[in-house]
Structure formats: structure tokens, C-alpha cells
Amino acid sequence: IVIRDPLDGLEPGLYGYDPLRHRLAELWSGTDIAAGLSAACFANAAVQAAPVALIVTGVFQRSVWRYRERAYRRVLLDSGHLLGNAGLAAAALGLRVHLTSAFCDTALNTLLRLDDHEEGALAVMALNRPGPSERPAWTVLPSAQGPSDPNGLHAASALTSERPRLIPRGESQAEELERRYAAASSVTMTAPAGDHPLVGHLFDTILHRRSTRQFQPNAITLAQLARLLACAYEPETVGLTAQPTLDRGELMTFLAVAEITGLPAGVYYFAPHSRSLRRLREGLEREAVQYL
């Protein structure tokens, strides 16, 4: 955790979070840490303006003993749970969230004094006060392609000290996604307008559930599905933090529908710009999904 300005008794510097005791441990003090973070993020304006930034790192070998070559995926999955909870909590506190993985790996790992053979930075979450979005700000930048084996994947996708140029796709990508499966029968998804809190007591829910979920074999409604998709693709429309740098055109979502009231079972593609579900095949065998 990088603190740029004095905050409720905490002086500027770098802090480590101890999850077992729920406390912060001061690692290094001073404003140089915030300046170093901004430089490592290629002068990302959102990071530079943030009074607080959370940095998530992965200790990859910690999961290898169990998940072997898929350990990297497991690390990213756990990181997603952590960042998702932090983002929801920040929104509940009225903060703006800017999540990025566009940083010079060597510079950030050096700033954190990590052994980059064992551990590496995965994401930076800038927490900003209410107001307009800062520019320029990036969420991700392209890296040179390298070896694709799982053990070298993190190192192969590292960014150097010189900021890469963005690869523009923009509306052409959006049109390409909309044309995909255009011939399939479709259902338009309409999420309820206005702010709708996810739960009554967000912080209690986060502390209780952590990264676990409780599943029930009951049908859900089409309106509930529309709200789930809105939370993912249009969070600002349902009372969550706005994500102006979320590139919906880079996402492809497929749904295996078993039991949704008002929607036939089958496999669907979600077209994000027209907000429609396009059925690719009829029927769904739950055993097949479980097997996959």
C-alpha cells in the first residue's frame, strides 16, 4: 500500500498489509515511494493523483505444489477476488477506482524490493477522491511476445522502462463483436435503471464470504441475469464505481444457461454493445457442464 499524503495518522510511505492480524506494517517512509510508483506506471495520471494505491503481487511457487502448470491461473483468480472486494469496498466509501497493470515490471518490483525470481507485481489499484477521471491513464499496455510456457509467462509479458504504444482497435473491434453470431436468435437484456446496492451490508458480506460462494440449485430470473451482466459491463449504471477505461470490446462472454425463468436452456453469446444474448445451441446438459 502506497500512501502519498498524510492520511488519518499514517505518514507517506510504503506499507505492507498483514491479513492475519488485519493491520498495516510500515516498510519504508517518505514521499519517494509515491513518486517511484508514478514513474513505474509511466506517469499514469490516475496513479499520480491517488492519495492511496494498493499493489497486488503474486508469489507464484506458493501455488505450484498443488496446481502445477495452472498455478499462474490460480494466482490470477485469487487476485481477482481480492481486487473485486477492494473495488466494491472503495465504491461504498465514495472513492473512485482505477485498476491498471500498465507498469514497468522491473521498476515496480525494485521499488517494492521483491525477488522477481519468486514474486512479481500483478496490478495497481489507485484510490482517488470523487471527481472527473484523470488523463492520460492506461489499464493495460502491450508487451513483446515471448515464450508461452506457464513458468515463463509472467516474465515474457513484462513491460520495459519505455512505455509501449497502444494498439488502436476501437470501434472496428466493437463492430466485429456485434457481427459475431448476428444470425442467431437474440434476447435483449435490460437492467433496472437507478442505483441498486448489491447487498444490505457490503463490508460484513465481504468479510463473511471472502472468495467463497454459496450455490443453490434454483432457477433465477432474466432480470437477475441482466443485472449480473450490467455489473460486469456497465457498472456505473447500477450504482457501482464508474470504469471509464473499461474496454468492453476486448471481452467475449458466453453463458451456459440451465434454468433461467423466461429464457430457454442453451448456450448463448452476449453481444456487449447491443446488450443482447444470442443463442448458439438449444438445450443444456448439466452433466456436460459439470464434466467440463
Side-chain angles (χ1 to χ4, degrees), residues 10 13-14 72 82 161-162 173 184 194 235-236:
L10 294 175
L14 178 67
Y72 191 69
L82 189 156
S161 57
E162 182 178 353
Q173 172 77 347
E236 64 277 4

Side-chain angles (χ1 to χ4, degrees), residues 53-73:
L54 311 181
I55 305 173
V56 177
T57 70
V59 184
F60 307 113
Q61 294 301 318
R62 193 176 289 168
S63 296
V64 167
W65 71 270
R66 182 171 184 176
Y67 298 105
R68 299 186 181 271
E69 69 275 7
R70 295 179 76 87
Y72 191 69
R73 300 188 186 207

Side-chain angles (χ1 to χ4, degrees), residues 200-214:
H201 302 283
L202 176 65
F203 297 102
D204 290 342
T205 301
I206 290 175
L207 290 173
H208 173 72
R209 78 176 188 182
R210 299 177 66 84
S211 63
T212 63
R213 304 292 185 268
Q214 291 181 344

Side-chain angles (χ1 to χ4, degrees), residues 12-280:
L14 178 67
Y15 294 78
Y17 175 60
D18 181 354
L20 297 181
R21 297 176 178 84
H22 188 51
R23 66 181 184 182
L24 293 179
E26 183 179 7
L27 303 178
W28 299 283
S29 61
T31 59
D32 291 344
I33 298 294
L37 175 63
S38 175
C41 293
F42 306 112
N44 187 319
V47 175
Q48 194 167 6
V52 178
L54 311 181
I55 305 173
V56 177
T57 70
V59 184
F60 307 113
Q61 294 301 318
R62 193 176 289 168
S63 296
V64 167
W65 71 270
R66 182 171 184 176
Y67 298 105
R68 299 186 181 271
E69 69 275 7
R70 295 179 76 87
Y72 191 69
R73 300 188 186 207
R74 178 68 204 190
V75 170
L76 297 183
L77 181 66
D78 285 339
S79 299
H81 285 308
L82 189 156
L83 292 168
N85 285 340
L88 291 172
L93 294 172
L95 300 174
R96 288 186 296 112
V97 175
H98 178 84
L99 184 63
T100 180
S101 62
F103 47 77
C104 172
D105 291 72
T106 299
L108 187 52
N109 290 339
T110 300
L111 182 71
L112 301 177
R113 303 188 185 182
L114 305 181
D115 181 351
D116 55 13
H117 294 290
E118 300 289 336
E119 187 175 5
L122 296 173
V124 175
M125 176 180 280
L127 303 178
N128 296 81
R129 297 183 178 92
S133 300
E134 295 80 8
R135 290 289 186 269
W138 308 274
T139 56
V140 68
L141 292 169
S143 64
Q145 291 188 357
S148 58
D149 64 282
N151 291 333
L153 183 60
H154 190 77
S157 62
L159 298 179
T160 63
S161 57
E162 182 178 353
R163 181 177 68 82
R165 305 187 74 172
L166 287 169
I167 301 175
R169 300 194 69 180
E171 289 306 312
S172 62
Q173 172 77 347
E175 294 173 1
E176 175 187 334
L177 286 175
E178 290 306 287
R179 288 194 302 268
R180 199 179 297 255
Y181 312 117
S185 61
S186 63
V187 177
T188 301
M189 308 299 291
T190 303
D195 295 353
H196 300 274
L198 293 178
V199 293
H201 302 283
L202 176 65
F203 297 102
D204 290 342
T205 301
I206 290 175
L207 290 173
H208 173 72
R209 78 176 188 182
R210 299 177 66 84
S211 63
T212 63
R213 304 292 185 268
Q214 291 181 344
F215 296 99
Q216 297 177 348
N218 303 326
I220 68 172
T221 67
L222 193 59
Q224 287 174 313
L225 176 60
R227 176 153 163 70
L228 287 171
L229 292 172
C231 287
Y233 279 88
E234 299 176 291
E236 64 277 4
T237 66
V238 288
L240 300 179
T241 301
Q243 295 289 343
T245 53
L246 172 62
D247 189 351
R248 297 157 181 82
E250 298 293 341
L251 302 175
M252 292 187 67
T253 299
F254 296 87
L255 292 92
V257 173
E259 195 172 354
I260 294 180
T261 304
L263 188 66
V267 177
Y268 292 79
Y269 166 71
F270 178 62
H273 297 277
S274 62
R275 302 180 185 86
S276 61
L277 285 178
R278 297 176 180 173
R279 188 166 62 177
L280 307 183

